[in-house]
Amino acid sequence: MKYRWATIITFVLCAFFTVNAKVQLPQLFQSGMVVQRGKPVPVWGKADAGEKIMIRINKYQVATVADANGHFRADLPAMKAGGPYTMMVGDVVLTNVYVGDVWLCSGQSNVDVTIERVYPQYTEEIDRLDNEKIRLFRVQNETCTHGVKEDIRPTSINWKPLNKQNAWLFSALGTFLGKRMYEQTGVPQGIIVNSWGGTPIEAWISADSLMTDYPMLITKTAFYQNDNYVRAQMQANNEANRGWDELLNKLDGTQLYPLPSCQDDDWKTINQNGWSWRGTGTVWLRQHITVDKAHAGKPARLLLGTLFDQDITYLNGKEIGHTYYQYPPRRYDIPEGLLREGDNVIAIRFINKYGAAHFIPEKPYMIAFGDDRFSQNPMPKDVIPLSDTWKFHVGAEMPSCPSTDISLQNLPTTLYNAVVYPLAPFAISGVIWYQGESNTGNPAPYADYLKKMMGCWRDCWKDPKMPFVIVQLANYDGRQQTGFPRPITPQTEPANSGWAQLREAQRQAAINDSRAELAVAIDLGETVDIHPLRKKEVAERIGLCLDRLVFGKKGSLSPQPVRATMMGNQVVVTFDQALKEGDQGEFELAGDDKRFVNAKAVAKGSQVFIDAPIAVPSFIRYAWKDNPTQAHLYSPKGLPAAPFELVITK
């Protein structure tokens, strides 16, 4: 009898869960979500064919019927900001739902940069993050070479309320944007982050948009549509890396070199600012630090700048941190009791697979103590600076690791297919696009790519007026990208900069699109870091663009040139607003041969007057360098002028 009752109970439970599983919603539809105010809100999903689905939120309700394939969609009417509400979609209940503004932040690694990374820049503000009405959603990275997907993958940051813990590994740009827009509007904010470091813009554009003008880009994906080929290549790469690492660890003296007892008297002495090791394998660096009684045993933080490429770092024989690629800053916490009075030893194991192992200059190298040791703005007060000199020893020299690049995320259309198309038609207020670093090697087609990308996203959402804010690339010395250390000397002579060309492409795309604005960040970068920390300031400039583009406010943005004309011996550039007056650098003139030379300039009113050092100037450009250190042209409100190139009207 007990088996019969078990069968009945099982049947009832299965029937219950079958009923409750009839409606399937996309990953974007979850408890805690924010839906867009002021415009119809599409709700879609799957159910049994022919099933009637009722959708309810607050006082609104709509009904629809699943088609023969089980797909349904209905649009809720435009609603005012408010909440929290309960949304019911058939038998699915979503709680704690707000109506407000939803922003989609997309691009590459400068969108990815987390709150954890920028914490030293904004310690007090980040410590206070706490707003139930700002919700964070992170699209999980995925690729697809076989056409578009219906939905994105499940994600761990799924409409989490804003607080320090939830934001810690979330986009700093997205976090500060949500905070800024809430402060300006007072309505709930939903931030969707959909980005992938190192990806080119082509990966974010639909196949249809690329096929007409760039058919060879689509051809590039042909091999990768073979799942067996992709699987075999990835497995081969994994095996090669695993074998390389095993051999490296076998050959390297990892047990001895971190220890304080290791004798390094006969090791070579190097200076970190003039040192690099071009090879494959490992090198070890050691430095002795003297700690006084007052600091011995105290918890501290080792700031080890930024290193190329991988490192494992030890203090007195104990590992205190490791980083497996070049970009993250090395901030390693030293536990209480590890530092001792007298001699202490820092040991760094560099692991290098390409380029040259080296330190990144202009970064902090020190041991910081006290409650402010987590801050770098301002720098902590109680520090022991590290010496520039280290003891150096080769650990193991290795052959190059054999590998075949299989980075599907860098292929045309793969991200549009997997993580853009499935988001539509989720109602949003606008898009923030911060990308371009990966296209600086070939900037010529970028303006057209960006036009096509904005067009295909608008088509995907069926919203021809979808607003875009384009973040223009920040200043950065692109010579650092090569994997080889370079002297950090300012570029003073005109150069044909790929970074400058891409910035101009971004500017052109924005000024030629009535539903796009340009957020200028030419003064918010760092010479040696492609991931600058000042993400709050970037978010503020994005917010100013949204104020005008979405909400119709009349505030001024960064000064933009209107025209350039000859006036006697001078070239006069007229801007769309008043400028901060005074002498200006980074202006260049050229004749028809496009051989640019530096030119003296002064700003007065809304114009810049440039003395012509050549007889017949035909072109003028401003801030046309990777890292234009003398670009000081601003509006009276402190917004920098966008870098540009113009034809001079005779």
Side-chain angles (χ1 to χ4, degrees):
M1 178 64 72
K2 65 179 180 180
Y3 296 111
R4 183 179 177 186
W5 278 110
T7 302
I8 293 171
I9 291 170
T10 302
F11 175 80
V12 171
L13 288 173
C14 288
F16 174 80
F17 283 111
T18 300
V19 169
N20 279 271
K22 279 184 179 180
V23 170
Q24 300 176 41
L25 296 176
Q27 290 294 322
L28 277 170
F29 287 85
Q30 299 188 38
S31 293
M33 68 189 293
V34 179
V35 297
Q36 180 61 44
R37 64 168 169 158
K39 59 173 64 176
V41 176
V43 180
W44 72 98
K46 292 181 179 180
D48 293 338
E51 182 178 352
K52 182 177 179 181
I53 297 100
M54 186 68 70
I55 302 168
R56 300 180 178 90
I57 182 173
N58 194 14
K59 59 185 179 181
Y60 303 99
Q61 67 178 38
V62 293
T64 187
V65 177
D67 65 19
N69 296 315
H71 295 94
F72 70 85
R73 172 182 165 172
D75 290 2
L76 289 163
M79 297 176 281
K80 293 182 179 180
Y85 302 121
T86 295
M87 176 185 283
M88 300 184 66
V89 185
D91 51 5
V92 176
V93 179
L94 305 178
T95 60
N96 199 19
V97 175
Y98 280 96
V99 180
D101 291 327
V102 182
W103 310 103
L104 175 57
C105 301
S106 194
Q108 57 180 107
S109 53
N110 269 300
V111 181
D112 282 341
V113 168
T114 62
I115 282 291
E116 183 273 334
R117 178 83 71 87
V118 306
Y119 180 66
Q121 185 75 15
Y122 312 102
T123 51
E124 292 186 7
E125 183 169 356
I126 291 172
D127 284 341
R128 296 194 302 267
L129 288 177
D130 189 15
N131 190 326
E132 174 72 15
K133 293 184 179 180
I134 301 174
R135 301 296 172 87
L136 314 176
F137 189 99
R138 180 64 167 92
V139 176
Q140 187 69 24
N141 288 346
E142 188 177 15
T143 63
C144 184
T145 60
H146 298 287
V148 296
K149 297 180 73 69
E150 285 194 351
D151 199 5
I152 57 175
R153 294 168 57 194
T155 179
S156 59
I157 305 180
N158 48 7
W159 299 115
K160 302 291 187 184
L162 175 62
N163 56 47
K164 181 180 177 181
Q165 180 180 354
N166 291 336
W168 194 243
L169 297 180
F170 191 75
S171 164
L173 183 76
T175 298
F176 286 123
L177 179 65
K179 186 171 181 288
R180 189 266 183 198
M181 298 309 292
Y182 180 83
E183 291 168 353
Q184 291 291 316
T185 65
V187 308
Q189 301 291 310
I191 303 294
I192 301 172
V193 168
N194 186 18
S195 54
W196 195 326
T199 54
I201 191 173
E202 300 95 305
W204 299 91
I205 305 174
S206 70
D208 289 345
S209 298
L210 291 172
M211 180 60 77
T212 302
D213 296 322
Y214 306 99
M216 285 301 295
L217 291 180
I218 304 303
T219 304
K220 286 176 66 174
T221 65
F223 279 118
Y224 300 95
Q225 291 175 8
N226 184 322
D227 291 338
N228 291 332
Y229 171 77
V230 171
R231 193 178 302 111
Q233 290 298 114
M234 294 180 71
Q235 183 176 356
N237 285 344
N238 290 338
E239 287 299 314
N241 279 289
R242 185 186 59 79
W244 194 91
D245 291 340
E246 286 181 357
L247 180 58
L248 177 71
N249 291 332
K250 182 178 180 180
L251 296 176
D252 195 14
T254 56
Q255 301 301 314
L256 176 63
Y257 299 148
L259 300 177
S261 59
C262 174
Q263 296 300 309
D264 55 20
D265 294 342
D266 60 345
W267 288 22
K268 182 181 178 180
T269 300
I270 59 97
N271 186 292
Q272 72 179 49
N273 296 318
W275 166 85
S276 67
W277 181 72
R278 288 174 173 82
T280 306
T282 60
V283 290
W284 286 85
L285 298 179
R286 285 167 55 92
Q287 179 171 152
H288 293 258
I289 302 292
T290 301
V291 174
D292 60 22
K293 184 176 181 179
H295 292 94
K298 289 189 174 180
R301 171 166 274 205
L302 174 63
L303 302 180
L304 205 55
T306 307
L307 309 176
F308 185 96
D309 181 37
Q310 304 177 39
D311 77 283
I312 303 175
T313 297
Y314 304 83
L315 178 66
N316 294 334
K318 179 180 176 62
E319 181 183 332
I320 58 171
H322 58 258
T323 306
Y324 294 124
Y325 64 110
Q326 70 184 89
Y327 293 117
R330 274 56 169 180
R331 306 172 187 143
Y332 298 146
D333 290 323
I334 300 172
E336 186 175 359
L338 186 57
L339 282 169
R340 58 198 184 195
E341 185 177 359
D343 186 57
N344 296 261
V345 177
I346 299 169
I348 306 173
R349 185 193 188 206
F350 275 91
I351 303 173
N352 210 50
K353 289 189 175 182
Y354 72 100
H358 62 276
F359 293 82
I360 305 299
E362 300 183 8
K363 291 288 184 177
Y365 294 89
M366 62 184 67
I367 298 176
F369 299 86
D371 293 340
D372 64 350
R373 66 184 182 275
F374 302 104
S375 172
Q376 288 178 218
N377 183 32
M379 293 298 292
K381 301 181 184 67
D382 188 5
V383 303
I384 298 176
L386 300 186
S387 170
D388 292 339
T389 60
W390 297 78
K391 292 287 189 174
F392 163 84
H393 182 73
V394 175
E397 294 188 83
M398 294 278 292
S400 297
C401 181
S403 64
T404 301
D405 184 25
I406 199 76
S407 301
L408 297 180
Q409 74 273 16
N410 295 330
L411 293 175
T413 78
T414 55
L415 298 183
Y416 175 87
N417 292 343
V419 294
V420 176
Y421 181 87
L423 300 183
F426 194 85
I428 60 176
S429 196
V431 177
I432 291 84
W433 178 250
Y434 190 172
Q435 188 277 338
E437 297 90 341
S438 290
N439 288 87
T440 54
N442 180 28
Y446 192 85
D448 191 44
Y449 286 163
L450 189 47
K451 178 181 177 181
K452 290 181 185 300
M453 192 207 78
M454 292 189 289
C456 74
W457 287 29
R458 286 166 175 155
D459 287 345
C460 187
W461 265 264
K462 294 181 172 53
D463 181 3
K465 295 183 178 180
M466 177 186 285
F468 278 81
V469 173
I470 302 162
V471 181
Q472 194 181 46
L473 293 185
N475 53 303
Y476 167 70
D477 191 332
R479 295 173 293 176
Q480 301 304 310
Q481 279 186 292
T482 60
F484 290 88
R486 303 290 182 101
I488 306 303
T489 55
Q491 295 171 290
T492 57
E493 296 303 316
N496 195 20
S497 160
W499 282 68
Q501 291 177 60
L502 195 129
R503 292 187 191 110
E504 178 65 5
Q506 292 173 318
R507 191 181 77 88
Q508 290 294 334
I511 64 177
N512 289 319
D513 190 315
S514 63
R515 297 297 296 161
E517 291 286 3
L518 187 72
V520 179
I522 194 61
D523 58 338
L524 298 178
E526 297 182 30
T527 300
V528 297
D529 199 334
I530 201 170
H531 303 118
L533 298 184
R534 297 176 64 189
K535 294 295 185 280
K536 177 183 178 182
E537 290 81 352
V538 177
E540 173 60 29
R541 292 183 187 172
I542 292 169
L544 292 173
C545 293
L546 294 173
D547 288 347
R548 187 157 82 175
L549 187 61
V550 177
F551 300 112
K553 295 184 179 180
K554 296 182 180 180
S556 297
L557 303 179
S558 287
Q560 292 284 352
V562 176
R563 60 185 174 274
T565 58
M566 286 298 302
M567 184 181 295
N569 296 352
Q570 291 184 317
V571 176
V572 181
V573 182
T574 301
F575 285 78
D576 62 355
Q577 60 186 280
L579 304 167
K580 189 176 291 185
E581 297 189 350
D583 293 339
Q584 302 297 327
E586 302 292 359
F587 278 90
E588 303 168 4
L589 295 174
D592 291 338
D593 59 3
K594 297 212 76 172
R595 294 182 179 178
F596 283 88
V597 296
N598 292 328
K600 294 182 179 180
V602 62
K604 296 179 181 178
S606 62
Q607 296 179 314
V608 175
F609 298 86
I610 304 101
D611 294 333
I614 57 177
V616 186
S618 300
F619 301 94
I620 183 169
R621 62 191 190 188
Y622 167 69
W624 202 265
K625 295 181 177 69
D626 294 2
N627 183 41
T629 57
Q630 301 303 310
H632 302 312
L633 184 61
Y634 284 83
S635 72
K637 292 185 177 181
L639 292 174
F644 65 85
E645 181 176 11
L646 290 178
V647 176
I648 299 169
T649 303
K650 301 296 194 293

